Amino acid sequence: MNKKEIKKGLIPYLALIVIMLGVIYLFNVLNLEVHDLTYDKFVNALNNNEVEELTILPSLDGGVYTITGKLKDYKEKESFKATVPLSEEVMKQITDANEKYDFSIKTESDPNGSFWLIALVNFLPLIIIAGFMFYILTRQIGGNNKSFDFGKSRAKLDDSQKKVTFNDVAGLKEEKEELKELIDFLKNPKKFTKLGARIPKGVLLVGPPGTGKTLLARAVAGEANVPFYYISGSDFVELFVGVGASRVRDMFRQAKHNAPCLIFIDEIDAVGRQRGTGLGGGHDEREQTLNQLLTEMDGFGANEGIIIIAATNRADVLDPALLRPGRFDRQVTVNLPDVKAREEILEVHARNKILDKNVTLNNLARRTPGFSGADLENLLNEAALLAVRRNKDHITMSEVDEATDRVMMGPAKKSKKYTDEEKRLVAFHEAGHAVIGLKLSSANVVQKVTIIPRSYAGGYNMMVPKQEKYTATKTELLEQITGLLGGRVSEELNFGEITTGAHNDFEKATKIARAMVTEYGMSDLGPVQLEQQSESVFIGRDYNKSRNFSDTVAHEIDEEMRKIVGECYKDATRILKENADLVKLIAEALLERETLTKEQIDYLVEHKELPVEEEEMNFSDMSLEDLKELAKSKDIKGYSKLSKEDLIRLLEANDVEVEKEEE
């Protein structure tokens, strides 16, 4: 805090102290009881030795004396006031009485002094109160009170010391190339205008949440080293009509004074939705704000040097006038990262984390398809928190595995108790999914199987595609449905009973089957699209779903869906019957270990048994000769002259686990 801010903060307190002192003084003045004495009573008091003290004050016109003072029988707050003629006789009476009775006497010789004293006593409190009211009023009008500046722009200037650059944005290679043109324009606009080129006035970043749209916009400003204003779309919308439009005008006014600059509007769909839509009609405040934004971006006035970057994950609801050339000229789609981009993102977020050498970011990237940049950052942060909770000095693969499960499914509910029968049923259910994934070539690869409950699931299979692709074949979709039905089929074959545990599997399978029939043209109904999402997204995504078919075709759609799911169910039944021993083997292993990794499942399929877990060696009970033999097997040279303690430390340095004796 600088000296100017400190002084500004002290002013209200100093004003309050002055007011309190003035009020106290005024209170004391008002509490004085003043008695008016006539000339005769005043003379009698002088002659009878009743005067204790008095003050002689000549009047301004010079005709009389004003005498104030106290009598001996007065209390502390009492005094008298008398007006006497200005004559030598009066002064002689006062002088004689003073010589005779010796009371205190004062004379005010300056008439003007009495005037200013009276004026000060009478008007000082009023002046102080008026000054305080004036200060409060000017403070409010000056902008410190939000009730007087709701028409001001809410855009904030990013003045952080650390600038974000493209080095801080992992992946998004094509997106960064697309935006480099904006950086060149902000740095050297004459290079473009010389050839008559018009730089895009606005760029719309479209993509799922957490993919790095805001970070990308900050990186553009950091690379160009220009002022960066950021605001949310909801900051424009207020209760009063016209406030949002006023804020838009004020935002562009500030930006013009700092051009060239960059304005970032996050979640622009809050203010840029289509006008005149929805069941309840339009929204006057939002529409006026949008109109003003459209005018400022490409209206009658020129906003040279101002580039707007906006972000949304709902580009389908934006007004067409906002997306036309001259406003948002370009749309840059920021998709979920692929495996290479995920590895780069993990490397960025792992810079300040201590990872064990067994943690390979490439393998972690392959195990996390569909994760956004925010999800990956959260995954490593959860792993770090788990490592601290377990009192470890580095993050191991155990924490990474647990963090992955937490991000996907929530924390494990180890306190939740299964009955033995329920636990066995869940094990066979998950084993059914795993076997289908192992036996179908186009099905997803099983990475992990667990029967530890998480969230609402009693257990789950972590299955990832063998290869990330942008399209899917009909065979792949059918095998995905078959894999989803494997749990229910396994229950039916091994227990002769079915449970509610497959409801989420059915939901996913039905969704895929319906899309195959109505959207992808992968059924006997032919290559036609029968359903599509409606344009009227304000009514609801599914409420006004477009149906381009009759009731007869609707019945045929239902039949085709049942046919697809039914055939997949038969395939799942055939596969699990043929591999009943493998289902039982995996289920028994799950009951024993509760969690199986891909490596353990592959070993189990090949050797029909689980790999033996290596036990940690206790070096404290080993003789020096045995330690030397172990050192020889580890190819450690020069151990013959070492003590037992030094040899143990040498083994530890060569990545041999040493279990210490408990004291």
Coordinates of all heavy atoms in Angstrom, one line a residue, residues 620-649:
S620 N 18.5 -56.9 7.8 CA 19.0 -56.8 9.1 C 19.4 -58.2 9.7 O 20.2 -58.4 10.6 CB 18.0 -56.2 10.1 OG 16.8 -56.9 10.0
D621 N 18.7 -59.3 9.2 CA 18.9 -60.6 9.7 C 20.0 -61.3 8.8 O 20.3 -62.5 9.1 CB 17.6 -61.4 9.7 CG 16.6 -60.9 10.7 OD1 17.1 -60.2 11.6 OD2 15.4 -61.0 10.4
M622 N 20.5 -60.7 7.7 CA 21.4 -61.4 6.9 C 22.8 -61.2 7.4 O 23.2 -60.2 8.0 CB 21.3 -60.8 5.4 CG 20.0 -61.1 4.8 SD 19.8 -60.4 3.1 CE 21.1 -61.3 2.3
S623 N 23.6 -62.3 7.2 CA 25.0 -62.2 7.6 C 25.8 -61.4 6.6 O 25.3 -61.1 5.5 CB 25.6 -63.6 7.6 OG 25.6 -64.2 6.3
L624 N 27.0 -61.0 6.9 CA 27.9 -60.2 6.0 C 28.2 -61.0 4.8 O 28.2 -60.4 3.7 CB 29.1 -59.8 6.8 CG 30.1 -58.8 6.0 CD1 29.3 -57.5 5.7 CD2 31.3 -58.5 6.8
E625 N 28.4 -62.3 4.9 CA 28.7 -63.1 3.7 C 27.5 -63.1 2.7 O 27.7 -63.0 1.5 CB 29.0 -64.5 4.1 CG 30.4 -64.7 4.8 CD 30.4 -64.1 6.2 OE1 29.3 -63.9 6.8 OE2 31.5 -63.8 6.7
D626 N 26.3 -63.3 3.3 CA 25.1 -63.3 2.4 C 24.9 -61.9 1.7 O 24.5 -61.8 0.6 CB 23.8 -63.6 3.2 CG 23.8 -65.0 3.7 OD1 24.5 -65.8 3.1 OD2 23.2 -65.3 4.8
L627 N 25.2 -60.8 2.5 CA 25.1 -59.5 1.9 C 26.1 -59.4 0.7 O 25.8 -58.8 -0.3 CB 25.3 -58.4 2.9 CG 24.2 -58.1 3.9 CD1 24.7 -57.2 5.0 CD2 23.0 -57.5 3.1
K628 N 27.3 -59.9 0.9 CA 28.3 -59.8 -0.2 C 27.9 -60.6 -1.4 O 28.1 -60.2 -2.5 CB 29.7 -60.3 0.4 CG 30.3 -59.4 1.4 CD 31.7 -59.9 1.8 CE 32.3 -58.9 2.8 NZ 33.6 -59.4 3.3
E629 N 27.2 -61.8 -1.2 CA 26.7 -62.5 -2.3 C 25.6 -61.8 -3.0 O 25.6 -61.8 -4.3 CB 26.2 -63.9 -1.8 CG 27.3 -64.9 -1.4 CD 28.2 -65.3 -2.5 OE1 27.7 -65.4 -3.7 OE2 29.4 -65.4 -2.3
L630 N 24.8 -61.1 -2.3 CA 23.8 -60.3 -2.9 C 24.4 -59.1 -3.7 O 23.9 -58.8 -4.8 CB 22.8 -59.8 -1.8 CG 21.6 -58.9 -2.3 CD1 20.7 -59.7 -3.3 CD2 20.8 -58.4 -1.2
A631 N 25.4 -58.5 -3.1 CA 26.1 -57.4 -3.8 C 26.7 -57.9 -5.1 O 26.7 -57.2 -6.1 CB 27.1 -56.8 -2.9
K632 N 27.3 -59.1 -5.0 CA 27.9 -59.7 -6.2 C 26.8 -59.9 -7.3 O 27.1 -59.7 -8.5 CB 28.6 -61.0 -5.9 CG 29.4 -61.6 -7.0 CD 30.0 -63.0 -6.6 CE 31.0 -62.8 -5.5 NZ 31.6 -64.1 -5.1
S633 N 25.6 -60.4 -6.9 CA 24.6 -60.6 -7.9 C 24.1 -59.3 -8.4 O 23.5 -59.3 -9.5 CB 23.4 -61.4 -7.2 OG 22.8 -60.5 -6.2
K634 N 24.2 -58.2 -7.7 CA 23.8 -56.9 -8.2 C 25.0 -56.2 -8.9 O 24.9 -55.0 -9.3 CB 23.4 -56.0 -7.0 CG 22.1 -56.5 -6.4 CD 20.9 -56.5 -7.3 CE 19.7 -57.0 -6.6 NZ 18.5 -57.1 -7.5
D635 N 26.1 -56.9 -9.1 CA 27.3 -56.4 -9.8 C 27.8 -55.1 -9.2 O 28.0 -54.1 -9.9 CB 26.9 -56.2 -11.3 CG 28.2 -56.0 -12.2 OD1 29.2 -56.5 -11.7 OD2 28.1 -55.3 -13.2
I636 N 27.9 -55.1 -7.9 CA 28.4 -54.0 -7.2 C 29.9 -54.2 -6.9 O 30.2 -55.2 -6.2 CB 27.7 -53.7 -5.9 CG1 26.2 -53.4 -6.2 CG2 28.3 -52.5 -5.1 CD1 25.3 -53.3 -5.0
K637 N 30.8 -53.4 -7.4 CA 32.2 -53.6 -7.2 C 32.8 -53.0 -6.0 O 32.2 -52.0 -5.5 CB 33.0 -53.1 -8.5 CG 32.5 -53.6 -9.8 CD 32.6 -55.1 -9.9 CE 32.2 -55.6 -11.3 NZ 32.3 -57.0 -11.4
G638 N 33.9 -53.5 -5.5 CA 34.6 -52.9 -4.3 C 33.9 -53.0 -3.0 O 33.9 -52.1 -2.2
Y639 N 33.2 -54.1 -2.8 CA 32.4 -54.3 -1.5 C 33.2 -55.0 -0.4 O 32.7 -55.1 0.7 CB 31.1 -55.0 -1.8 CG 31.2 -56.4 -2.4 CD1 31.5 -57.5 -1.6 CD2 31.2 -56.5 -3.8 CE1 31.7 -58.7 -2.2 CE2 31.3 -57.8 -4.4 CZ 31.6 -58.9 -3.6 OH 31.8 -60.1 -4.1
S640 N 34.3 -55.6 -0.8 CA 34.9 -56.6 0.1 C 35.4 -55.9 1.4 O 35.4 -56.6 2.5 CB 36.1 -57.2 -0.6 OG 37.0 -56.3 -1.0
K641 N 35.8 -54.7 1.4 CA 36.3 -54.0 2.6 C 35.2 -53.2 3.3 O 35.5 -52.4 4.2 CB 37.4 -53.1 2.2 CG 38.6 -53.8 1.6 CD 39.7 -52.9 1.3 CE 41.0 -53.7 0.8 NZ 42.1 -52.8 0.5
L642 N 33.9 -53.3 2.9 CA 32.9 -52.5 3.5 C 32.3 -53.2 4.7 O 32.3 -54.4 4.8 CB 31.7 -52.3 2.5 CG 32.1 -51.4 1.2 CD1 30.9 -51.4 0.3 CD2 32.5 -50.0 1.6
S643 N 31.9 -52.3 5.7 CA 31.2 -52.8 6.8 C 29.8 -53.2 6.5 O 29.3 -52.9 5.4 CB 31.2 -51.8 7.9 OG 30.4 -50.7 7.5
K644 N 29.1 -53.9 7.4 CA 27.7 -54.3 7.1 C 26.8 -53.1 6.8 O 26.0 -53.1 5.9 CB 27.2 -55.1 8.2 CG 25.8 -55.7 8.0 CD 25.4 -56.6 9.1 CE 24.0 -57.2 8.9 NZ 23.6 -58.1 10.0
E645 N 27.0 -52.0 7.6 CA 26.1 -50.8 7.5 C 26.4 -50.2 6.1 O 25.5 -49.7 5.4 CB 26.4 -49.9 8.6 CG 25.8 -50.3 10.0 CD 26.7 -51.4 10.6 OE1 27.8 -51.6 10.1 OE2 26.2 -52.1 11.5
D646 N 27.7 -50.1 5.8 CA 28.0 -49.4 4.5 C 27.6 -50.3 3.3 O 27.1 -49.7 2.3 CB 29.6 -49.2 4.4 CG 30.1 -48.2 5.4 OD1 29.3 -47.3 5.8 OD2 31.3 -48.2 5.7
L647 N 27.6 -51.6 3.5 CA 27.1 -52.4 2.4 C 25.6 -52.3 2.2 O 25.1 -52.3 1.0 CB 27.5 -53.9 2.7 CG 27.4 -54.9 1.5 CD1 28.1 -54.4 0.3 CD2 27.9 -56.3 2.0
I648 N 24.9 -52.2 3.3 CA 23.4 -52.0 3.2 C 23.1 -50.7 2.5 O 22.3 -50.6 1.6 CB 22.8 -52.0 4.6 CG1 22.8 -53.4 5.1 CG2 21.3 -51.5 4.5 CD1 22.3 -53.5 6.5
R649 N 23.9 -49.6 2.8 CA 23.7 -48.3 2.1 C 24.0 -48.4 0.7 O 23.4 -47.8 -0.2 CB 24.5 -47.2 2.8 CG 24.0 -46.8 4.2 CD 24.6 -45.4 4.6 NE 26.0 -45.6 4.9 CZ 26.5 -45.9 6.1 NH1 25.7 -46.1 7.1 NH2 27.8 -46.1 6.3

